[in-house]
Amino acid sequence: MDEKRYLTFALAKGRLANKTLELLEEVGITCEEMKDKSSRKLIFVNEELKLKFFLSKGPDVPTYVEYGAADIGVVGKDTLLEEGKRVYEVLDLGFGKCRMCVCGPVKSRELLKHHAMIRVASKYPNIAKDYFYNKKHQTVDIIKLNGSVELGPIVGLSDVIVDIVETGSTLRENGLEVLEEVCPLSARMIVNQVSMQMQPERIKGLINQLKEKL
Ligand code: PRP
């Protein structure tokens, strides 16, 4: 029974999806249709294995998985923390490693130390709120931005930012530095809660196969 139904994967467009497909290939799961980069198709099928794949914007992956439109998703831990959806996080895939940090000009270090009322710009307002309110017990003003967040302190919009740091070069090139680390990040596999109950053997089998390759 289990094997007849399609298992659907939602992957975050870009580097994470490519890395995920490489990993899936290692356990014998391929999707030839997806390799055609000129295709405008949104959903790809492997009939033999009864698998479907689709690519979406990262923040939408947990939404598809929560509602069961996808059984399985791969997305960054940053997105999972920010979106706060009800899904099972089953595996740290180990790639896409980076850190969520509070960053800013060195002069903002004092403001953080003295728990001053500061302005924090971030693409991740929920993560920023949780860090400052619940972990640091510091009242701050959080300003949501949609990208190029490093501009915040440079143009005087905010005192600090909460953002992803990977190599640190964006910070260095803009005269900013890491002031505090919020948490480490990497790509995670997530599973719909009902799918896990309905197809436990198939999904757990896949998780175990992937674990052996990590
Ligand atoms: C991310 C992040 C930083 C940068 C960090 O931005 O928000 O800006 O990468 O990487 P680094 O430490 O290696 O320099 P992204 O390129 O995703 O674009 P965005 O600023 O529009 O979010």
Side-chain angles (χ1 to χ4, degrees):
M1 283 295 281
D2 231 20
E3 304 298 316
K4 287 194 183 134
R5 200 182 157 274
Y6 282 99
L7 207 56
T8 302
F9 287 75
L11 306 178
K13 256 185 218 170
R15 238 180 335 157
L16 287 193
N18 294 337
K19 283 275 198 187
T20 305
L21 293 173
E22 281 172 25
L23 178 64
L24 288 172
E25 280 213 32
E26 285 189 48
V27 299
I29 295 177
T30 52
C31 190
E32 291 305 316
E33 272 193 317
M34 249 179 145
K35 291 182 182 162
D36 176 6
K37 298 290 173 207
S38 64
S39 171
R40 303 286 294 167
K41 269 181 87 165
L42 294 173
I43 188 141
F44 304 92
V45 184
N46 179 326
E47 285 296 348
E48 199 187 327
L49 298 174
K50 286 276 178 264
L51 299 173
K52 287 186 186 173
F53 300 86
F54 64 83
L55 298 172
S56 77
K57 289 266 185 192
D60 294 336
V61 169
T63 307
Y64 286 114
V65 174
E66 181 180 59
Y67 282 92
D71 303 288
I72 295 176
V74 174
V75 70
K77 178 70 176 174
D78 49 318
T79 305
L80 277 185
L81 291 170
E82 183 62 23
E83 298 298 316
K85 300 289 188 203
R86 280 164 302 177
V87 296
Y88 292 135
E89 182 186 322
V90 295
L91 201 54
D92 181 346
L93 295 171
F95 50 77
K97 272 199 194 328
C98 48
R99 300 180 292 157
M100 185 65 72
C101 297
V102 179
C103 312
V106 72
K107 66 173 192 250
S108 290
R109 209 177 273 284
E110 283 299 303
L111 300 174
L112 287 170
K113 203 157 80 187
H114 297 114
H115 281 219
M117 175 71 191
I118 53 170
R119 281 184 166 181
V120 181
S122 186
K123 216 164 121 173
Y124 302 91
N126 293 327
I127 294 177
K129 211 178 289 173
D130 180 62
Y131 180 70
F132 280 104
Y133 290 16
N134 300 333
K135 298 210 176 80
K136 294 200 69 189
H137 307 289
Q138 180 172 1
T139 308
V140 298
D141 187 6
I142 292 166
I143 304 166
K144 161 90 198 249
L145 288 178
N146 293 297
S148 303
V149 177
E150 290 83 359
L151 275 172
I154 298 172
V155 300
L157 175 73
S158 69
D159 300 291
V160 298
I161 59 174
V162 168
D163 199 21
I164 291 173
V165 180
E166 192 182 353
T167 61
S169 55
T170 310
L171 291 178
R172 272 193 300 278
E173 288 182 27
N174 290 289
L176 306 174
E177 51 187 75
V178 171
L179 303 173
E180 290 175 1
E181 180 168 325
V182 177
C183 62
L185 303 168
S186 56
R188 306 296 160 100
M189 177 170 281
I190 56 174
V191 176
N192 171 267
Q193 297 185 345
V194 177
S195 304
M196 190 62 121
Q197 280 176 349
M198 301 299 285
Q199 310 200 65
E201 280 163 27
R202 197 174 176 198
I203 295 174
K204 283 181 187 159
L206 172 65
I207 295 168
N208 288 335
Q209 274 182 301
L210 292 174
K211 264 187 194 160
E212 282 177 22
K213 301 290 175 190
L214 298 177

